[in-house]
Amino acid sequence: MELNNNDKKRIWLEIKISTIIPTILFVLLLSILVIGSGITTFFINVKPGFLNRSLTILLFLFIPFLYFVWLSAIKYIDLKRNTKITIQLGNYEFKKRKNDIFVVSEKENFKMKIFEDLIPLIDVNSPLTVEYTKYSKVLLFVSNDKQN
């Protein structure tokens, strides 16, 4: 199935949130590191290898940033491919693991994280319709009928 406008807006919002916040944090850490290293190098007599240590710290700060960029890229691929998966679950249950709640169906071999606010709105005795993106597994629609 193709994504509708609401689905596209939700994916764009997820891309913005998962990219902007880590980018701001990374830029702040990078600027502190660069300014601090520059001030230290020019005004204080530093030991040999100081810049190598600074670049190593910068590299280790950059690795988590790449993870968030990768997640955003997968969501962007879902947005460009314009496809979503719709599945009907007849026999399902809610399972809580740590702080997350999952919809689990043994028959369809399906497991997806769900928002805790949606659980009171779902009737466990009737079939459940779930729509999500193919690669990033962004939850788009959960309902017992055609209305979200």
Side-chain angles (χ1 to χ4, degrees), residues 18-19 22 61-74:
S18 66
T19 305
L61 291 175
F62 190 67
I63 291 171
F65 178 71
L66 287 177
Y67 172 73
F68 289 111
V69 169
W70 174 253
L71 291 179
S72 297
I74 291 173

Side-chain angles (χ1 to χ4, degrees), residues 31-48:
S31 62
I32 289 170
L33 185 65
V34 168
I35 291 170
S37 296
I39 291 172
T40 305
T41 303
F42 289 116
F43 295 114
I44 298 175
N45 191 8
V46 295
K47 293 183 179 181

Side-chain angles (χ1 to χ4, degrees), residues 17-33 58 61-62 64-65 68:
I17 290 172
S18 66
T19 305
I20 290 174
I21 294 172
T23 302
I24 290 172
L25 290 175
F26 180 73
V27 168
L28 285 174
L29 288 172
L30 177 68
S31 62
I32 289 170
L33 185 65
L58 181 64
L61 291 175
F62 190 67
F65 178 71
F68 289 111

